[in-house]
Amino acid sequence: MTAADWKDYEILGSGGGEKLERWKDVYLLRPDPQAIWKSEFDLAKYPKLNARYNRSDKGGGAWQVFRKMPDEWTVSWNELTFSVKPMGFKHTGLFPEQAVNWRQMQDLIKGADRSISVLNLFGYTGGASVACASAGAFVTHVDAAKGMVDRCRQNVKLSRLGDNSVRYIVDDCAKFVSREIKRGRKYDAVIMDPPSYGRGPGGELWKLEDDIFDFIELTAALLSDNPLFFLVNSYTTGLQPTVLDNMLSIILGSYGGSHTAYEVGLKTSDSRGVVLPCGCSALWRDGVRTP
């Protein structure tokens, strides 16, 4: 599934392990390990290029600036506005391909004809939280990094949504879920975008392939009796969409409903029009708890 309704973002070309992007009026060249084909033209010599992220042999990397650009600016997707800022490890604070899922979740929330509470785990800068809140849901946004939660708050304000539409939580996601279960909290929808690798505040090691099933199973205990959807995203290259789909089917089987899994991508605007793969998602929807 490709996100095709962007006006402020596009991929102008890809290849050689990089992608050339336009973020409104700013042009960035960033690494992308999936773009293993040859580029149609020399991406690094694009005349409007503002900056390129160069990886270091010692890990990490740094931005190389060629043309003046703002430290931070905004891009819009339909009625929503997001802050963009080149950060460490090649990130900009937004994943445009996720607009595929934003649209689906908005449609589900608007079509529910009832109040919907959403839990967004590993919520990052809040693209999904803003999309769901704009559709009328109340969102609990959770991320362990305070800076990312602050960015979510900023994006909520940029999109002219009231703070009363989002609850901001700085916490380890697994510990937060466990406490919410003890508190008896329930949610109509869950979004999770877990990292491939990570460490908890106590040094706990997280590896997606080893821990994701148990975490989905744990989080499913927070679903209401009439849940609307459960969305899982993965950027781990070796984890196929069918694997995510199987986990949702096994864990949420008692709710009935339907489920699907798919690759998420972005189509380049060069003459070849290749689709750049950007991870995968699995979406379960419209279930009712059975005894």
Side-chain angles (χ1 to χ4, degrees):
M1 297 180 67
T2 58
D5 50 353
W6 278 97
K7 292 183 174 61
D8 281 355
Y9 175 84
E10 65 178 320
I11 297 179
L12 301 173
S14 63
E18 293 182 297
K19 58 186 174 185
L20 176 64
E21 305 165 294
R22 178 182 65 85
W23 296 82
K24 192 181 271 185
D25 299 322
V26 178
Y27 297 81
L28 302 177
L29 184 57
R30 296 195 290 160
D32 196 302
Q34 295 291 307
I36 62 175
W37 47 86
K38 291 182 179 179
S39 57
E40 187 178 33
F41 57 93
D42 191 337
L43 304 180
K45 291 184 179 179
Y46 186 72
K48 295 183 180 180
L49 182 62
N50 292 96
R52 181 186 194 179
Y53 187 88
N54 296 307
R55 289 194 183 279
S56 169
D57 294 337
K58 299 178 181 179
W63 288 96
Q64 181 182 7
V65 178
F66 301 104
R67 297 173 67 240
K68 186 178 179 180
M69 65 180 189
D71 293 333
E72 186 171 351
W73 65 100
T74 62
V75 297
S76 294
W77 176 77
N78 297 327
E79 73 280 10
L80 307 181
T81 301
F82 302 100
S83 170
V84 173
K85 179 181 181 180
M87 300 184 293
F89 197 61
K90 78 176 183 177
H91 291 305
T92 62
L94 195 65
F95 292 94
E97 66 274 8
Q98 284 298 318
V100 163
N101 290 321
W102 300 344
R103 173 62 71 199
Q104 291 188 95
M105 292 186 292
Q106 285 181 325
D107 290 345
L108 286 169
I109 292 166
K110 291 176 181 177
D113 197 29
R114 57 189 170 97
S115 298
I116 299 295
S117 59
V118 176
L119 175 61
N120 187 10
L121 298 168
F122 312 98
Y124 195 50
T125 60
S129 295
V130 172
C132 290
S134 71
F138 178 77
V139 182
T140 297
H141 177 96
V142 187
D143 197 283
K146 182 179 183 300
M148 296 300 102
V149 176
D150 289 342
R151 291 286 296 275
C152 176
R153 193 186 301 271
Q154 179 185 7
N155 287 327
V156 168
K157 291 180 179 178
L158 286 171
S159 293
R160 297 181 176 86
L161 303 171
D163 269 352
N164 57 355
S165 61
V166 179
R167 179 169 65 130
Y168 304 94
I169 305 292
V170 180
D171 202 350
D172 175 79
C173 288
K175 292 182 177 180
F176 176 78
V177 167
S178 296
R179 285 195 293 269
E180 288 288 86
I181 292 171
K182 292 179 181 178
R183 288 189 281 255
R185 286 291 296 267
K186 296 293 180 181
Y187 296 88
D188 301 304
V190 171
I191 307 161
M192 62 169 64
D193 198 346
S196 298
Y197 299 95
R199 288 192 180 274
E204 307 90 343
L205 178 64
W206 164 277
K207 186 178 180 182
L208 187 70
E209 297 94 324
D210 296 339
D211 300 318
I212 185 61
F213 184 89
D214 289 344
F215 188 65
I216 293 174
E217 191 171 46
L218 177 70
T219 307
L222 292 175
L223 288 174
S224 66
D225 290 338
N226 186 20
L228 185 61
F229 65 81
F230 200 118
L231 175 72
V232 181
N233 294 311
S234 171
Y235 288 90
T236 301
T237 306
L239 202 62
Q240 301 297 317
T242 303
V243 175
L244 297 180
D245 191 51
N246 288 341
M247 289 190 289
L248 290 186
S249 175
I250 292 168
I251 293 170
L252 302 177
S254 63
Y255 286 90
S258 61
H259 51 93
T260 185
Y262 42 89
E263 279 190 85
V264 176
L266 291 162
K267 190 173 183 178
T268 61
S269 61
D270 60 17
S271 64
R272 295 185 299 188
V274 300
V275 175
L276 186 64
C278 304
C280 61
S281 300
L283 176 66
W284 173 91
R285 53 175 291 185
D286 299 325
V288 177
R289 187 189 298 271
T290 57

